[in-house]
């Protein structure tokens, strides 16, 4: 029930990535906490109601577009 999101192509520093996620009210697990190979990734829990997931994805799309 976990999805790894590869954000490396966005070119964000770990601090920028964290800041953008917090601003969007998204609290995923930062990939770097799983070791250097996880840097640039976010781990998203999909084990939630569909409506919750839809709202999170909408916020994520909006945050990434800014």
């Amino acid at each position: 029930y976990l999805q790894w999101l590869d954000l490396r192509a966005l070119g964000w520093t770990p601090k920028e990535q964290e800041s953008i996620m917090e601003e969007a009210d998204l609290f995923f697990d930062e990939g770097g906490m799983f070791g250097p190979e996880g840097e640039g990734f976010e781990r998203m829990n999909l084990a939630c109601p569909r409506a919750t997931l839809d709202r999170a994805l909408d916020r994520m799309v909006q945050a990434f577009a800014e």
Side-chain angles (χ1 to χ4, degrees):
Y1 296 72
L2 300 170
Q3 175 68 46
W4 284 88
L5 305 173
D6 184 351
L7 306 179
R8 294 174 296 174
L10 298 173
W12 296 336
T13 66
K15 189 68 176 168
E16 288 172 319
Q17 190 169 313
E18 179 183 353
S19 176
I20 290 165
M21 292 297 173
E22 285 181 11
E23 286 177 27
D25 200 25
L26 298 168
F27 297 94
F28 302 148
D29 291 325
E30 294 177 34
M33 70 189 301
F34 299 98
E37 62 277 355
E39 289 184 17
F41 289 82
E42 293 282 338
R43 190 177 77 167
M44 179 180 185
N45 187 333
L46 303 176
C48 61
R50 174 75 185 257
T52 301
L53 183 57
D54 286 341
R55 285 191 306 270
L57 292 174
D58 288 343
R59 288 194 310 270
M60 187 169 64
V61 167
Q62 192 171 26
F64 289 8
E66 296 177 353

